[in-house]
Amino acid sequence: MRIVVSDTALEIARQVSAILLAQVRKKPDSVLGFATGSSPLETYRLLIEAHRAGEADFSRVTTFNLDEYCSLAQDDPHSYYAFMKTQLFDPAGFSYDRVHFLSGLAEDHEATCRAYRAAIEAHGGIDIQLLGIGRNGHIGFNEPSDRFSDGPFMVQLAQSTLDANARFFENASPPRFALTMGIGDILAAKKILLIAMGDSKAQAIRAMEHGGVTPHCPASALQTHPDVTVFLDRAAARLL
Ligand code: F6R
C-alpha cells in the first residue's frame, strides 16, 4: 500500500485525476469504478475541467459505481445515481449506456447483485477503482462485521454511517439499507486509489494501514492488494 500525503484537497485531486486521465488516454474504453461522497468531488471537478478543455473523452469509458441506497429511485435527488449524474457523468460527457449502477429499487436484490458481478466480469474487470473510506473503516458500504463479503450484497448501514451521511439528507433520514459491491469485487480491480481527508478519518486510516487484516476494519483488506495508492491530507494521516 503506497501512502501519499498532501497539503490540500486540490493537490490530492490533481494527482488522482492525472492517474485517471492517463488511464483513459491509454485505453479509451477503460472500465472505471467510482465512489460517491465528499472525498472524490474535487477529483471529479478536475475530470470535468479536462473534458471541457477538450483534453479528455469519457464517451467510451464503462463505469461501475460502488453502491446505492435501497428504496431510492434513480431520479431521487438523494440517490447515488443522481449524485454521479450531476457531479460527473453529465458535465464530463459519459455515455449512459456504459454507466452501471446497483438498483436500489430492485425487487430481487440477490439477482441484481449476481447480475452486477457478472457485468463487471463480462467487461474484463475494473481497471481503476476509486474509493473513499468511512470513519468506521468501511469501503463501499462494507460495514465492519465478522467476515469479509465477496460479491455485491444488501447491507444494513451502521449508525455511524447514517449519522455521517445525514448531511446529504436535509430534513429526511438516509435509508437504512443499501446495495454495495463486496470486498471481493473491490479487490478484483486491477488498481485501487483511495482518498481520505480530515481528522475524522485518521483512526480508520491507522486501522487500515497498521492493524491486522480484519473484517472489523473492512478497508484493511486492501493490504492484500498489490496496487493500492492512498491519498491523504495531513489531518487524515496524523496517526500514521
Ligand atoms: C460512497 C462510498 C463510501 C464513501 C465513504 C466516505 O460511494 O462507497 O464508502 O466513500 O463513506 O464518504 P465521504 O467521502 O463523504 O467522507
Side-chain angles (χ1 to χ4, degrees):
M1 200 181 278
R2 276 184 300 277
I3 307 275
V4 180
V5 182
S6 303
D7 286 319
T8 63
L10 182 58
E11 209 179 299
I12 292 174
R14 283 202 183 116
Q15 297 171 82
V16 176
S17 61
I19 295 169
L20 293 168
L21 289 169
Q23 170 69 31
V24 172
R25 284 184 193 125
K26 184 179 73 183
K27 185 182 169 204
D29 59 348
S30 289
V31 181
L32 301 181
F34 284 129
T36 60
S38 311
S39 306
L41 275 178
E42 193 70 358
T43 297
Y44 293 162
R45 194 180 63 72
L46 296 186
L47 295 183
I48 293 166
E49 266 186 16
H51 169 72
R52 289 194 172 139
E55 293 160 4
D57 177 7
F58 297 110
S59 63
R60 291 175 58 203
V61 171
T62 293
T63 73
F64 287 90
N65 259 80
L66 280 167
D67 39 23
E68 180 59 285
Y69 288 114
C70 289
S71 76
L72 296 188
Q74 289 190 333
D75 60 3
D76 186 303
H78 295 116
S79 73
Y80 279 170
Y81 186 90
F83 176 100
M84 290 303 298
K85 190 169 152 44
T86 326
Q87 301 297 339
L88 184 64
F89 294 152
D90 277 354
F94 282 77
S95 304
Y96 280 93
D97 55 346
R98 297 175 197 268
V99 163
H100 296 82
F101 246 86
L102 284 156
S103 167
L105 289 186
E107 281 181 14
D108 184 347
H109 58 87
E110 286 180 10
T112 298
C113 289
R114 276 196 303 276
Y116 204 64
R117 179 167 214 165
I120 295 173
E121 287 169 359
H123 283 86
I126 292 175
D127 292 309
I128 301 185
Q129 175 67 54
L130 188 55
L131 296 175
I133 184 171
R135 299 168 193 188
N136 62 1
H138 74 215
I139 48 175
F141 273 147
N142 290 269
E143 301 286 29
S145 80
D146 290 337
R147 61 173 196 92
F148 286 118
S149 57
D150 182 22
F153 67 108
M154 186 192 269
V155 62
Q156 177 161 11
L157 297 174
Q159 191 57 45
S160 64
T161 301
L162 296 170
D163 294 344
N165 291 357
R167 70 191 193 280
F168 294 115
F169 282 80
E170 301 100 34
N171 301 322
S173 311
R176 303 193 73 86
F177 288 88
L179 299 184
T180 180
M181 278 189 204
I183 293 293
D185 301 309
I186 293 171
L187 292 179
K190 290 161 200 147
K191 182 184 199 65
I192 297 177
L193 309 175
L194 185 147
I195 301 174
M197 293 178 292
D199 207 56
S200 66
K201 302 290 173 74
Q203 292 281 2
I205 291 298
R206 183 185 163 84
M208 171 185 80
E209 217 255 337
H210 279 330
V213 176
T214 163
H216 295 288
C217 176
S220 65
L222 299 175
Q223 290 177 32
T224 67
H225 190 284
D227 189 357
V228 179
T229 309
V230 178
F231 294 88
L232 304 175
D233 66 4
R234 300 214 176 268
R238 84 186 151 84
L239 298 177
L240 292 182

